[in-house]
């Protein structure tokens, strides 16, 4: 006898992705990668974007703007992380 309940199939859970461009090229990406395991990789995924050579705020912004639009999905977010006290306002 059927219960009237049908199990969904071919449905993948939504994975919200955060692309994070950081000022630091060593510790910040490592921290962000560790968060993937802490929050559950199947629910949220953090994609760190960093470059040890180019840490000025303008470079951090440029990296995040280079994320290909075709790579982004509807619920993805783009973030920049910068230590404000290390830079002048003009940067």
């Amino acid at each position: 006898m059927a219960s009237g309940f049908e199990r969904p199939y071919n449905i993948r859970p939504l994975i919200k992705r955060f692309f994070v461009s950081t000022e630091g090229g060593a510790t910040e990406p490592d921290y962000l990668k560790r968060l993937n395991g802490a929050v559950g990789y199947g629910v949220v995924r953090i994609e760190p974007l960093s470059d040890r050579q180019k840490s000025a705020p303008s470079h951090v912004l440029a990296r995040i703007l280079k994320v290909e639009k075709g790579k982004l999905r509807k619920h993805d977010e783009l973030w920049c992380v910068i230590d404000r006290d290390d830079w002048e306002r003009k940067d």
Side-chain angles (χ1 to χ4, degrees):
M1 174 191 244
S3 66
F5 176 77
E6 290 187 33
R7 186 176 183 175
Y9 60 94
N10 292 334
I11 298 176
R12 295 173 63 182
L14 172 68
I15 297 174
K16 186 164 182 110
R17 296 184 305 174
F18 293 87
F19 292 85
V20 183
S21 181
T22 63
E23 173 187 18
T27 55
E28 287 91 338
D30 187 46
Y31 296 151
L32 294 171
K33 287 176 187 174
R34 289 175 188 232
L35 280 175
N36 279 326
V39 296
Y41 197 73
V43 179
V44 173
R45 183 170 21 189
I46 300 168
E47 305 279 351
L49 309 170
S50 62
D51 183 341
R52 291 175 188 242
Q53 305 300 318
K54 299 180 179 180
S55 64
S58 58
H59 293 291
V60 174
L61 179 60
R63 262 193 307 280
I64 204 72
L65 294 176
K66 287 182 183 176
V67 173
E68 297 174 21
K69 300 297 181 209
K71 189 175 184 180
L72 295 174
R73 296 185 303 224
K74 182 179 178 181
H75 299 287
D76 290 345
E77 294 187 23
L78 302 173
W79 287 58
C80 292
V81 177
I82 299 165
D83 292 333
R84 188 178 139 205
D85 55 341
D86 288 345
W87 300 99
E88 298 291 324
R89 284 187 85 67
K90 63 182 177 165
D91 292 325

